mmCIF file of all heavy atoms in Angstrom:
data_model
loop_
_atom_site.group_PDB
_atom_site.id
_atom_site.type_symbol
_atom_site.label_atom_id
_atom_site.label_comp_id
_atom_site.label_asym_id
_atom_site.label_seq_id
_atom_site.Cartn_x
_atom_site.Cartn_y
_atom_site.Cartn_z
ATOM 1 N N LYS A 231 6.222 23.466 16.812
ATOM 2 C CA LYS A 231 6.412 23.154 18.232
ATOM 3 C C LYS A 231 5.410 22.130 18.726
ATOM 4 O O LYS A 231 5.595 21.538 19.801
ATOM 5 C CB LYS A 231 6.291 24.438 19.066
ATOM 6 C CG LYS A 231 7.393 25.452 18.828
ATOM 7 C CD LYS A 231 7.173 26.695 19.679
ATOM 8 C CE LYS A 231 8.246 27.733 19.438
ATOM 9 N NZ LYS A 231 8.014 28.979 20.234
ATOM 10 N N GLY A 232 4.347 21.928 17.954
ATOM 11 C CA GLY A 232 3.351 20.937 18.309
ATOM 12 C C GLY A 232 2.426 21.381 19.414
ATOM 13 O O GLY A 232 2.287 22.580 19.712
ATOM 14 N N VAL A 233 1.787 20.406 20.072
ATOM 15 C CA VAL A 233 0.823 20.679 21.140
ATOM 16 C C VAL A 233 1.279 19.988 22.418
ATOM 17 O O VAL A 233 2.057 19.027 22.393
ATOM 18 C CB VAL A 233 -0.594 20.194 20.749
ATOM 19 C CG1 VAL A 233 -1.086 20.946 19.523
ATOM 20 C CG2 VAL A 233 -0.606 18.696 20.480
ATOM 21 N N LEU A 234 0.790 20.463 23.549
ATOM 22 C CA LEU A 234 1.190 19.896 24.835
ATOM 23 C C LEU A 234 0.538 18.545 25.092
ATOM 24 O O LEU A 234 1.149 17.663 25.694
ATOM 25 C CB LEU A 234 0.846 20.867 25.978
ATOM 26 C CG LEU A 234 1.653 22.162 26.026
ATOM 27 C CD1 LEU A 234 1.153 23.051 27.163
ATOM 28 C CD2 LEU A 234 3.142 21.843 26.227
ATOM 29 N N LYS A 235 -0.701 18.385 24.663
ATOM 30 C CA LYS A 235 -1.382 17.106 24.843
ATOM 31 C C LYS A 235 -2.563 17.032 23.884
ATOM 32 O O LYS A 235 -3.003 18.045 23.331
ATOM 33 C CB LYS A 235 -1.846 16.920 26.285
ATOM 34 C CG LYS A 235 -2.891 17.931 26.747
ATOM 35 C CD LYS A 235 -3.308 17.633 28.182
ATOM 36 C CE LYS A 235 -4.395 18.609 28.650
ATOM 37 N NZ LYS A 235 -4.837 18.316 30.032
ATOM 38 N N TYR A 236 -3.086 15.817 23.741
ATOM 39 C CA TYR A 236 -4.254 15.613 22.899
ATOM 40 C C TYR A 236 -5.506 15.592 23.761
ATOM 41 O O TYR A 236 -5.441 15.498 24.992
ATOM 42 C CB TYR A 236 -4.140 14.312 22.104
ATOM 43 C CG TYR A 236 -2.971 14.296 21.143
ATOM 44 C CD1 TYR A 236 -1.992 13.307 21.229
ATOM 45 C CD2 TYR A 236 -2.839 15.265 20.159
ATOM 46 C CE1 TYR A 236 -0.915 13.284 20.347
ATOM 47 C CE2 TYR A 236 -1.765 15.249 19.274
ATOM 48 C CZ TYR A 236 -0.803 14.267 19.385
ATOM 49 O OH TYR A 236 0.257 14.257 18.516
ATOM 50 N N SER A 237 -6.637 15.675 23.115
ATOM 51 C CA SER A 237 -7.898 15.841 23.838
ATOM 52 C C SER A 237 -8.404 14.549 24.473
ATOM 53 O O SER A 237 -9.310 14.591 25.302
ATOM 54 C CB SER A 237 -8.976 16.381 22.882
ATOM 55 O OG SER A 237 -9.161 15.486 21.779
ATOM 56 N N SER A 238 -7.849 13.397 24.097
ATOM 57 C CA SER A 238 -8.359 12.140 24.635
ATOM 58 C C SER A 238 -7.234 11.140 24.828
ATOM 59 O O SER A 238 -6.211 11.187 24.121
ATOM 60 C CB SER A 238 -9.407 11.540 23.683
ATOM 61 O OG SER A 238 -8.778 11.100 22.489
ATOM 62 N N PRO A 239 -7.391 10.198 25.761
ATOM 63 C CA PRO A 239 -6.385 9.139 25.937
ATOM 64 C C PRO A 239 -6.283 8.246 24.709
ATOM 65 O O PRO A 239 -5.224 7.693 24.430
ATOM 66 C CB PRO A 239 -6.891 8.376 27.165
ATOM 67 C CG PRO A 239 -8.346 8.702 27.272
ATOM 68 C CD PRO A 239 -8.476 10.093 26.755
ATOM 69 N N GLN A 240 -7.394 8.108 23.980
ATOM 70 C CA GLN A 240 -7.358 7.313 22.753
ATOM 71 C C GLN A 240 -6.323 7.874 21.775
ATOM 72 O O GLN A 240 -5.519 7.141 21.199
ATOM 73 C CB GLN A 240 -8.731 7.290 22.066
ATOM 74 C CG GLN A 240 -9.821 6.567 22.841
ATOM 75 C CD GLN A 240 -10.658 7.515 23.672
ATOM 76 O OE1 GLN A 240 -10.111 8.408 24.329
ATOM 77 N NE2 GLN A 240 -11.972 7.325 23.654
ATOM 78 N N SER A 241 -6.386 9.185 21.583
ATOM 79 C CA SER A 241 -5.456 9.817 20.658
ATOM 80 C C SER A 241 -4.020 9.704 21.148
ATOM 81 O O SER A 241 -3.089 9.503 20.357
ATOM 82 C CB SER A 241 -5.826 11.292 20.460
ATOM 83 O OG SER A 241 -7.070 11.412 19.780
ATOM 84 N N GLU A 242 -3.833 9.844 22.466
ATOM 85 C CA GLU A 242 -2.488 9.744 23.033
ATOM 86 C C GLU A 242 -1.883 8.362 22.768
ATOM 87 O O GLU A 242 -0.726 8.231 22.363
ATOM 88 C CB GLU A 242 -2.529 10.005 24.551
ATOM 89 C CG GLU A 242 -2.816 11.442 24.943
ATOM 90 C CD GLU A 242 -1.608 12.359 24.777
ATOM 91 O OE1 GLU A 242 -0.562 11.914 24.245
ATOM 92 O OE2 GLU A 242 -1.702 13.527 25.185
ATOM 93 N N ILE A 243 -2.663 7.327 22.997
ATOM 94 C CA ILE A 243 -2.143 5.965 22.866
ATOM 95 C C ILE A 243 -1.860 5.610 21.416
ATOM 96 O O ILE A 243 -0.814 5.055 21.084
ATOM 97 C CB ILE A 243 -3.109 4.965 23.534
ATOM 98 C CG1 ILE A 243 -2.986 5.098 25.060
ATOM 99 C CG2 ILE A 243 -2.847 3.545 23.082
ATOM 100 C CD1 ILE A 243 -3.970 4.277 25.845
ATOM 101 N N ARG A 244 -2.797 5.944 20.511
ATOM 102 C CA ARG A 244 -2.531 5.631 19.104
ATOM 103 C C ARG A 244 -1.369 6.464 18.571
ATOM 104 O O ARG A 244 -0.556 5.965 17.774
ATOM 105 C CB ARG A 244 -3.784 5.838 18.244
ATOM 106 C CG ARG A 244 -3.536 5.542 16.760
ATOM 107 C CD ARG A 244 -4.801 5.290 15.992
ATOM 108 N NE ARG A 244 -5.337 3.957 16.238
ATOM 109 C CZ ARG A 244 -4.967 2.876 15.558
ATOM 110 N NH1 ARG A 244 -4.025 2.955 14.623
ATOM 111 N NH2 ARG A 244 -5.527 1.715 15.806
ATOM 112 N N ALA A 245 -1.249 7.704 18.996
ATOM 113 C CA ALA A 245 -0.131 8.537 18.552
ATOM 114 C C ALA A 245 1.204 7.934 18.999
ATOM 115 O O ALA A 245 2.192 7.961 18.255
ATOM 116 C CB ALA A 245 -0.288 9.951 19.104
ATOM 117 N N LEU A 246 1.232 7.387 20.216
ATOM 118 C CA LEU A 246 2.442 6.734 20.723
ATOM 119 C C LEU A 246 2.807 5.530 19.866
ATOM 120 O O LEU A 246 3.944 5.419 19.372
ATOM 121 C CB LEU A 246 2.229 6.282 22.177
ATOM 122 C CG LEU A 246 3.229 5.246 22.709
ATOM 123 C CD1 LEU A 246 4.596 5.872 22.895
ATOM 124 C CD2 LEU A 246 2.724 4.614 24.006
ATOM 125 N N ILE A 247 1.867 4.605 19.679
ATOM 126 C CA ILE A 247 2.170 3.352 18.983
ATOM 127 C C ILE A 247 2.497 3.596 17.513
ATOM 128 O O ILE A 247 3.461 3.029 16.972
ATOM 129 C CB ILE A 247 1.001 2.356 19.121
ATOM 130 C CG1 ILE A 247 0.717 2.062 20.596
ATOM 131 C CG2 ILE A 247 1.324 1.062 18.372
ATOM 132 C CD1 ILE A 247 1.881 1.478 21.356
ATOM 133 N N GLU A 248 1.722 4.457 16.850
ATOM 134 C CA GLU A 248 2.024 4.736 15.448
ATOM 135 C C GLU A 248 3.378 5.426 15.306
ATOM 136 O O GLU A 248 4.138 5.126 14.380
ATOM 137 C CB GLU A 248 0.907 5.576 14.828
ATOM 138 C CG GLU A 248 -0.389 4.792 14.630
ATOM 139 C CD GLU A 248 -1.468 5.569 13.903
ATOM 140 O OE1 GLU A 248 -1.393 6.824 13.870
ATOM 141 O OE2 GLU A 248 -2.391 4.928 13.362
ATOM 142 N N GLY A 249 3.679 6.343 16.219
ATOM 143 C CA GLY A 249 4.974 7.023 16.178
ATOM 144 C C GLY A 249 6.124 6.051 16.362
ATOM 145 O O GLY A 249 7.149 6.122 15.669
ATOM 146 N N GLN A 250 5.971 5.103 17.310
ATOM 147 C CA GLN A 250 7.021 4.114 17.528
ATOM 148 C C GLN A 250 7.247 3.260 16.287
ATOM 149 O O GLN A 250 8.384 3.007 15.882
ATOM 150 C CB GLN A 250 6.661 3.207 18.710
ATOM 151 C CG GLN A 250 6.813 3.863 20.079
ATOM 152 C CD GLN A 250 6.598 2.867 21.206
ATOM 153 O OE1 GLN A 250 5.831 1.921 21.090
ATOM 154 N NE2 GLN A 250 7.301 3.073 22.315
ATOM 155 N N MET A 251 6.172 2.800 15.665
ATOM 156 C CA MET A 251 6.324 1.902 14.529
ATOM 157 C C MET A 251 6.813 2.624 13.271
ATOM 158 O O MET A 251 7.538 2.058 12.461
ATOM 159 C CB MET A 251 5.016 1.157 14.261
ATOM 160 C CG MET A 251 4.599 0.271 15.429
ATOM 161 S SD MET A 251 5.989 -0.745 16.049
ATOM 162 C CE MET A 251 5.583 -0.878 17.783
ATOM 163 N N LEU A 252 6.434 3.877 13.114
ATOM 164 C CA LEU A 252 6.995 4.665 12.014
ATOM 165 C C LEU A 252 8.502 4.803 12.174
ATOM 166 O O LEU A 252 9.255 4.745 11.188
ATOM 167 C CB LEU A 252 6.327 6.039 11.955
ATOM 168 C CG LEU A 252 4.903 6.064 11.388
ATOM 169 C CD1 LEU A 252 4.230 7.397 11.716
ATOM 170 C CD2 LEU A 252 4.903 5.822 9.874
ATOM 171 N N ALA A 253 8.947 4.981 13.408
ATOM 172 C CA ALA A 253 10.389 5.073 13.669
ATOM 173 C C ALA A 253 11.091 3.771 13.297
ATOM 174 O O ALA A 253 12.167 3.768 12.674
ATOM 175 C CB ALA A 253 10.635 5.402 15.140
ATOM 176 N N ARG A 254 10.472 2.626 13.668
ATOM 177 C CA ARG A 254 11.093 1.337 13.364
ATOM 178 C C ARG A 254 11.199 1.117 11.848
ATOM 179 O O ARG A 254 12.230 0.660 11.350
ATOM 180 C CB ARG A 254 10.302 0.189 13.976
ATOM 181 C CG ARG A 254 10.035 0.143 15.475
ATOM 182 C CD ARG A 254 10.936 0.958 16.354
ATOM 183 N NE ARG A 254 10.518 0.930 17.742
ATOM 184 C CZ ARG A 254 10.579 1.973 18.546
ATOM 185 N NH1 ARG A 254 11.002 3.147 18.077
ATOM 186 N NH2 ARG A 254 10.249 1.867 19.819
ATOM 187 N N LYS A 255 10.118 1.465 11.135
ATOM 188 C CA LYS A 255 10.150 1.259 9.691
ATOM 189 C C LYS A 255 11.148 2.206 9.019
ATOM 190 O O LYS A 255 11.864 1.820 8.081
ATOM 191 C CB LYS A 255 8.759 1.466 9.080
ATOM 192 C CG LYS A 255 8.740 1.174 7.583
ATOM 193 C CD LYS A 255 7.360 1.262 6.965
ATOM 194 C CE LYS A 255 7.417 0.908 5.480
ATOM 195 N NZ LYS A 255 6.090 0.989 4.827
ATOM 196 N N SER A 256 11.213 3.430 9.498
ATOM 197 C CA SER A 256 12.116 4.406 8.909
ATOM 198 C C SER A 256 13.558 3.916 8.948
ATOM 199 O O SER A 256 14.285 3.961 7.946
ATOM 200 C CB SER A 256 12.001 5.752 9.646
ATOM 201 O OG SER A 256 12.993 6.653 9.206
ATOM 202 N N TYR A 257 13.972 3.392 10.106
ATOM 203 C CA TYR A 257 15.372 2.985 10.227
ATOM 204 C C TYR A 257 15.632 1.620 9.619
ATOM 205 O O TYR A 257 16.753 1.346 9.189
ATOM 206 C CB TYR A 257 15.820 3.069 11.689
ATOM 207 C CG TYR A 257 16.069 4.516 12.053
ATOM 208 C CD1 TYR A 257 15.127 5.267 12.735
ATOM 209 C CD2 TYR A 257 17.229 5.148 11.627
ATOM 210 C CE1 TYR A 257 15.336 6.598 13.005
ATOM 211 C CE2 TYR A 257 17.455 6.485 11.895
ATOM 212 C CZ TYR A 257 16.504 7.217 12.584
ATOM 213 O OH TYR A 257 16.711 8.542 12.839
ATOM 214 N N ALA A 258 14.613 0.778 9.517
ATOM 215 C CA ALA A 258 14.780 -0.465 8.775
ATOM 216 C C ALA A 258 15.051 -0.149 7.305
ATOM 217 O O ALA A 258 15.897 -0.779 6.654
ATOM 218 C CB ALA A 258 13.545 -1.341 8.913
ATOM 219 N N THR A 259 14.352 0.855 6.782
ATOM 220 C CA THR A 259 14.553 1.274 5.398
ATOM 221 C C THR A 259 15.949 1.854 5.209
ATOM 222 O O THR A 259 16.646 1.538 4.238
ATOM 223 C CB THR A 259 13.489 2.321 4.996
ATOM 224 O OG1 THR A 259 12.189 1.765 5.186
ATOM 225 C CG2 THR A 259 13.661 2.733 3.541
ATOM 226 N N GLU A 260 16.372 2.690 6.164
ATOM 227 C CA GLU A 260 17.694 3.301 6.054
ATOM 228 C C GLU A 260 18.811 2.264 6.168
ATOM 229 O O GLU A 260 19.900 2.451 5.623
ATOM 230 C CB GLU A 260 17.859 4.381 7.122
ATOM 231 C CG GLU A 260 17.001 5.610 6.868
ATOM 232 C CD GLU A 260 17.353 6.767 7.767
ATOM 233 O OE1 GLU A 260 18.450 6.745 8.367
ATOM 234 O OE2 GLU A 260 16.540 7.699 7.879
ATOM 235 N N MET A 261 18.524 1.165 6.883
ATOM 236 C CA MET A 261 19.509 0.089 6.997
ATOM 237 C C MET A 261 19.617 -0.723 5.720
ATOM 238 O O MET A 261 20.499 -1.556 5.565
ATOM 239 C CB MET A 261 19.126 -0.848 8.144
ATOM 240 C CG MET A 261 19.340 -0.259 9.526
ATOM 241 S SD MET A 261 18.512 -1.272 10.774
ATOM 242 C CE MET A 261 19.304 -2.853 10.519
ATOM 243 N N GLY A 262 18.700 -0.498 4.777
ATOM 244 C CA GLY A 262 18.793 -1.176 3.498
ATOM 245 C C GLY A 262 17.751 -2.241 3.263
ATOM 246 O O GLY A 262 17.763 -2.905 2.224
ATOM 247 N N PHE A 263 16.803 -2.424 4.212
ATOM 248 C CA PHE A 263 15.769 -3.430 3.999
ATOM 249 C C PHE A 263 14.809 -2.931 2.930
ATOM 250 O O PHE A 263 14.328 -1.804 2.979
ATOM 251 C CB PHE A 263 15.009 -3.726 5.294
ATOM 252 C CG PHE A 263 14.084 -4.900 5.182
ATOM 253 C CD1 PHE A 263 14.549 -6.182 5.434
ATOM 254 C CD2 PHE A 263 12.760 -4.746 4.800
ATOM 255 C CE1 PHE A 263 13.716 -7.281 5.315
ATOM 256 C CE2 PHE A 263 11.910 -5.829 4.681
ATOM 257 C CZ PHE A 263 12.390 -7.110 4.936
ATOM 258 N N SER A 264 14.517 -3.791 1.972
ATOM 259 C CA SER A 264 13.649 -3.418 0.864
ATOM 260 C C SER A 264 12.248 -3.975 1.097
ATOM 261 O O SER A 264 12.049 -5.195 1.125
ATOM 262 C CB SER A 264 14.214 -3.960 -0.452
ATOM 263 O OG SER A 264 13.382 -3.628 -1.537
ATOM 264 N N PHE A 265 11.290 -3.103 1.287
ATOM 265 C CA PHE A 265 9.908 -3.519 1.517
ATOM 266 C C PHE A 265 9.189 -3.731 0.189
ATOM 267 O O PHE A 265 9.346 -2.961 -0.754
ATOM 268 C CB PHE A 265 9.166 -2.457 2.344
ATOM 269 C CG PHE A 265 9.617 -2.400 3.781
ATOM 270 C CD1 PHE A 265 10.639 -1.552 4.162
ATOM 271 C CD2 PHE A 265 9.032 -3.207 4.738
ATOM 272 C CE1 PHE A 265 11.063 -1.497 5.482
ATOM 273 C CE2 PHE A 265 9.444 -3.168 6.053
ATOM 274 C CZ PHE A 265 10.462 -2.315 6.434
ATOM 275 N N GLY A 266 8.399 -4.796 0.129
ATOM 276 C CA GLY A 266 7.651 -5.085 -1.080
ATOM 277 C C GLY A 266 6.449 -5.958 -0.781
ATOM 278 O O GLY A 266 6.099 -6.196 0.383
ATOM 279 N N GLU A 267 5.835 -6.485 -1.826
ATOM 280 C CA GLU A 267 4.621 -7.274 -1.661
ATOM 281 C C GLU A 267 4.855 -8.559 -0.873
ATOM 282 O O GLU A 267 3.948 -9.073 -0.218
ATOM 283 C CB GLU A 267 4.048 -7.628 -3.044
ATOM 284 C CG GLU A 267 3.516 -6.423 -3.819
ATOM 285 C CD GLU A 267 2.926 -6.827 -5.159
ATOM 286 O OE1 GLU A 267 2.946 -8.050 -5.458
ATOM 287 O OE2 GLU A 267 2.444 -5.943 -5.884
ATOM 288 N N LYS A 268 6.082 -9.102 -0.921
ATOM 289 C CA LYS A 268 6.374 -10.366 -0.250
ATOM 290 C C LYS A 268 6.874 -10.183 1.190
ATOM 291 O O LYS A 268 7.122 -11.163 1.886
ATOM 292 C CB LYS A 268 7.412 -11.151 -1.049
ATOM 293 C CG LYS A 268 6.931 -11.581 -2.436
ATOM 294 C CD LYS A 268 7.998 -12.385 -3.150
ATOM 295 C CE LYS A 268 7.526 -12.819 -4.527
ATOM 296 N NZ LYS A 268 8.569 -13.611 -5.233
ATOM 297 N N THR A 269 7.020 -8.940 1.614
ATOM 298 C CA THR A 269 7.559 -8.687 2.949
ATOM 299 C C THR A 269 6.654 -9.270 4.032
ATOM 300 O O THR A 269 5.435 -9.110 3.995
ATOM 301 C CB THR A 269 7.724 -7.174 3.193
ATOM 302 O OG1 THR A 269 8.654 -6.647 2.247
ATOM 303 C CG2 THR A 269 8.239 -6.905 4.603
#
């Protein structure tokens, strides 16, 4: 169920941005984009 909030605004902001970008990469991969050294 997770937690209601984090102890600092720093954690809140990084959690937001990292979560957003993980979502973008996840669906780029599912769409068939192949990540590698030249990406």
Side-chain angles (χ1 to χ4, degrees):
K231 293 179 181 178
V233 298
L234 292 177
K235 64 179 182 179
Y236 297 122
S237 59
S238 69
Q240 294 95 316
S241 293
E242 290 283 6
I243 286 174
R244 179 161 283 273
L246 163 70
I247 301 301
E248 289 185 340
Q250 286 187 329
M251 298 313 149
L252 285 165
R254 303 340 175 218
K255 184 175 182 180
S256 172
Y257 283 99
T259 303
E260 290 191 17
M261 288 167 59
F263 189 88
S264 179
F265 289 91
E267 292 182 0
K268 296 182 180 180
T269 298

